[in-house]
Amino acid sequence: MLFNSHLFIFVFLPLFYLLYLVIRIFDFKFKQNLFLGLIILFSLFFYAYWDYNYLFIIIASVIINFISIRYIIKKNIFILTLVIFFNIGLLFYYKYFDVLIGFVTNNDVNFNQIIIPLGISFFTFQQIGYLIELYYDKKKKLNFLKYFAFVIFFPQLIAGPILKSQEFFPKFYDSFKDKKLLRNLLIGLIIFFIGLSKKVLIADNLSVYVNNYYNIAAISENLNLYESWLASIGYLFQLYFDFSGYSDMAVGIAKIFGLNLPWNFNSPLKKISIQHFWNCWHITLTRFTTSYIFTPIIILFNKYNLNFRISILFAVIVTFTLIGVWHGAGINFLIFGILHATAYLVNKSYSFIVSELKLKFLQAKIFNYLYWLITFLFVCFSFVFFRSENLQVAKNIAFNMLNFKSLTFPAFFFNNKYILEFLGFFNAIKIETYIFQNHNFISIIFISFLIIILFPNTKRIAEFIDKCFYIEKPKEIIKILILYIFLFFLSFLIIASILSLNNEVVFLYYQF
Amino acid sequence: MKFKKMKFYGLFFFLFGFILWGFLSYISYIFLKINNEHLSINNIVKEQIQNRNLYSSSINVDYKNYIETKYEIIKPGILIIGSSRIQYYPEYLFNKKLVIAQQPFYSFEMFYSSLESLIKIHKPDLVILGLDWWLFNENYNKKQSKIYLNTLFDKKKTLEKNKNFLQFTFNELVKPYLWLLERKISPKFFWESLNGKKLNNIGVMANLNQSGYNIEGYYSDSYTINGRKKFDIEFKDTISQIQNKQKDFSEFVFDQNSLEILRKINNLVRLNKIEILNILSPISPTVYKELRKSDYLKNFEKISSELKNFDNFYDLTQKSYFNDCQFLDGTHPGEVLNFINLKEISKINTRIEKFITKKIHNDTIKNNLERVVFKDINLISKKENDFLKIGCKK
């Protein structure tokens, strides 16, 4: 089921909330367990609504992982390793097996012959993370009902955020006693509708144009410098608003029930370095890879007294490569990972040199604009490899992004023969008549850019609204005015988003 | 301000916004509904068959299904396929039922796939293929055609039933306000529509301009012929495009692939034992002169020479009997010239003769030589004036 559907918003969620209220009102012994059961039931329906054939995979995965718990708490490293291999194997089978067969049999690689079960990466990662934590801290042991509910909790089941068990329990019980029911409901709904409007008003509108450009790149090399950049910026914004919109909706739904899920995005496109970018983009994935890939490698190197810098180098390359490859089996995803690893290392080295050589002037605020621009342009460029269906498409766009020979200007701009003569010495200049034809696309990109740069992110808006509940004797008139303007604007977002639900478009991260 | 008051005002702003936006959305829906923008494709076709009204929409652009639906009902003897340059062939020029499959066809690939699906529904006796020079331009085919193709065919099939308020999307409901801002529609028209002014046509643009597609696909263009459109006066816009190598006159590289697909189209038609005319559509004499001056004419000549081996190919780019007054703009010939051309073709190709009406006599043609639409025959003929401002006697 999609969050951005009438069924979810007008039937599924209200019904679930109503049952939650009923369970809360009555005071009986097993009410928390009953709610856990309700979560499982609704989550299974939520999952099965997409394709019930894959229901058994998620149930089997949960059962097998749960069985291993009893051995893992006894520090049985063999079982832990085995069950991690099982999880990775499952992921590997669905995501990479057909590609591998293609390579082995030397046939054309035929992607997506095996349909990937929805959310497999996310519920697999969440379980791996939990089992490793349990190995080190057996107090985190959960019974079957709790474990099942933790893995399958529908707001985060399909595309995260990837939870740690302590983010679900005991907060789950606290939320049950939380008396701020109305506040949670209001803040949760506000977060949900901000996320929904990001998805349906911005990302879905961008997708039409982005898909067109990428389709053109798939059949020809005919995009020029300007169009290639437009396509890549458009896609980056589409992905950001789509995925952060989904994550906001997940956080918002959980908040309605008093649960605070971790935020997955924290204005990553405002960041001034690639290091900061990854701390704020898909935060729970970064946290997962840092905890279970990056840090163990460093510890391993340390154990054998190997060079620390080499350990960092190795850990960064491995971590980012795996992040890239996790997103897809194509070589373009591998390049995406390697590009980010390289950028991360360059970023680290630069910071090191600046601090070692005490080049303080390079840390001046004015340079932050330059650092931001470099980071932003790099991220745009790298995500071309992420979006492209194969390497050829990525090459077509990436090459033209750097190909200043395809620099073109709109004909109306250079409509003067003297300007043309003056510029004649510059061979690269071409006059393109179709340029700037997609006014709508440029407008949406421009509005998206303003939202990214000027507006606070959903996390900050939620914190602001939350604080407003505590205002006893408000003196800060400006804050109150901002709140009123926001509420006025929010009503527009709600109506516009609901009216946009007729055009159901799946979330980009459903494919991972 | 006390907290209670603050909460009250907060709630007020939210509810006020909610009511305001909801009201504006509903007003927009009413406006669109009055203009028949809520009709499903099936009902658009039914309405047009019953009431002979015009259809021109910026909301409901499911042209593929629109054409297929009416084609299936009409089962025409003549099918015309092409761009907007073939949309001025009214049914009364022919002896048989007509459907013009105009609009979504922006490349030969699309011509082929549409023709294939239409022939499966019903075999016409004659197919007229309107050829445009840009369809042979590699630069156009590589980029523009794909953009149009994806934009038009990405859309889901429109509903079988008419749309209600909740079935309109935000993007659709916001359009009337954008049109008001862009001055595409006047506040007066908006207000009169809401006040229940009787609007018979289908689509805001059809009602506003009294222009749109007839059921056979002929475009009743009173908006242009009575001078309200104000486009291409003295052919200045087209000439400027040629001089600046803009839009359809952009840098030309002959696309060999187009030729192959055109060959495929001709084979498909011939295999189905259907007559075919491949027509390179006319261009006004003034624009033709400009093409010659700017050396762009060589591209037309290249196309013509590549197509000369095709059966039933007629290069009508320029003929001695053309005059500027027969055009809606530099590149769109009107029905009078189209009829003259058909008569000329039938002199060479006698098999075509049986498809052309005998009700329009030579005297009528003589009386309409400087017109776009036939006087007294076409219902909008009284609206025609010297809209190009080149001194035409109308």
Side-chain angles (χ1 to χ4, degrees), chain B residues 224-237:
Chain B
T224 301
I225 64 168
N226 74 355
R228 279 184 295 152
K229 194 175 177 183
K230 293 187 173 50
F231 173 74
D232 223 9
I233 291 168
E234 295 173 358
F235 303 112
K236 278 180 184 162
D237 296 287

Side-chain angles (χ1 to χ4, degrees), chain A residues 205 212 415 433 484 502, chain B residues 6 144 150 166 171 244-245:
Chain A
N205 278 315
N212 274 341
N415 211 356
T433 54
Y484 290 162
N502 291 318
Chain B
M6 194 189 106
Q144 280 314 101
N150 292 317
L166 290 173
N171 286 355
N244 297 310
K245 294 197 170 178

Side-chain angles (χ1 to χ4, degrees), chain A residues 41-281:
Chain A
L41 201 69
F42 270 71
S43 300
L44 286 174
F45 178 76
F46 178 84
Y47 192 79
Y49 190 80
W50 185 269
D51 189 347
Y52 62 85
N53 288 315
Y54 288 104
L55 206 56
F56 88 96
I57 292 170
I58 190 167
I59 295 173
S61 168
V62 169
I63 291 172
I64 291 167
N65 278 286
F66 181 75
I67 291 169
S68 74
I69 286 177
R70 68 161 77 171
Y71 303 101
I72 288 168
I73 54 170
K74 288 176 190 164
K75 299 264 175 192
N76 189 331
I77 189 82
F78 174 71
I79 293 293
L80 177 66
T81 315
L82 198 69
V83 81
I84 288 174
F85 269 103
F86 161 74
N87 282 311
I88 292 171
L90 195 68
L91 203 58
F92 184 85
Y93 172 75
Y94 281 106
K95 293 190 83 162
Y96 312 105
F97 190 69
D98 54 348
V99 181
L100 186 76
I101 292 295
F103 277 124
V104 171
T105 57
N106 213 12
N107 285 329
D108 283 344
V109 182
N110 195 356
F111 294 98
N112 302 327
Q113 261 191 354
I114 301 171
I115 296 164
I116 304 169
L118 217 54
I120 189 167
S121 299
F122 292 92
F123 66 72
T124 303
F125 281 179
Q126 193 153 308
Q127 293 189 99
I128 292 174
Y130 170 71
L131 295 178
I132 294 171
E133 280 179 21
L134 187 70
Y135 180 80
Y136 290 105
D137 183 4
K138 66 178 180 181
K139 283 178 204 158
K140 288 180 179 168
K141 185 179 180 255
L142 302 171
N143 65 29
F144 184 69
L145 205 60
K146 286 182 187 174
Y147 181 72
F148 205 168
F150 161 66
V151 176
I152 205 173
F153 184 45
F154 69 85
Q156 50 83 54
L157 175 62
I158 311 293
I162 304 163
L163 297 185
K164 290 188 172 194
S165 64
Q166 62 267 31
E167 283 161 345
F168 198 69
F169 297 107
K171 282 183 181 178
F172 173 79
Y173 297 121
D174 298 340
S175 73
F176 231 76
K177 294 168 203 158
D178 196 344
K179 286 182 180 165
K180 295 155 191 160
L181 206 64
L182 183 66
R183 195 185 74 179
N184 287 337
L185 177 68
L186 288 178
I187 296 177
L189 284 176
I190 288 172
I191 298 170
F192 178 82
F193 277 108
I194 291 173
L196 182 66
S197 49
K198 276 176 162 181
K199 161 72 181 159
V200 297
L201 298 181
I202 303 175
D204 288 352
N205 278 315
L206 281 170
S207 74
V208 178
Y209 302 99
V210 171
N211 292 346
N212 274 341
Y213 278 119
Y214 273 84
N215 286 341
I216 293 166
I219 51 167
S220 72
E221 296 165 10
N222 224 25
L223 293 184
N224 58 37
L225 182 110
Y226 148 83
E227 289 166 327
S228 305
W229 275 101
L230 210 56
S232 70
I233 295 172
Y235 177 66
L236 181 65
F237 288 175
Q238 183 203 346
L239 182 65
Y240 172 67
F241 283 105
D242 189 285
F243 192 24
S244 72
Y246 173 88
S247 301
D248 290 349
M249 280 188 258
V251 171
I253 296 164
K255 183 72 189 172
I256 291 172
F257 303 97
L259 274 170
N260 294 313
L261 295 191
W263 293 93
N264 235 353
F265 290 85
N266 189 12
S267 302
L269 301 178
K270 281 183 187 171
K271 301 303 164 197
I272 56 167
S273 73
I274 208 70
Q275 207 176 330
H276 289 125
F277 171 81
W278 277 104
N279 287 336
C280 301
W281 177 279

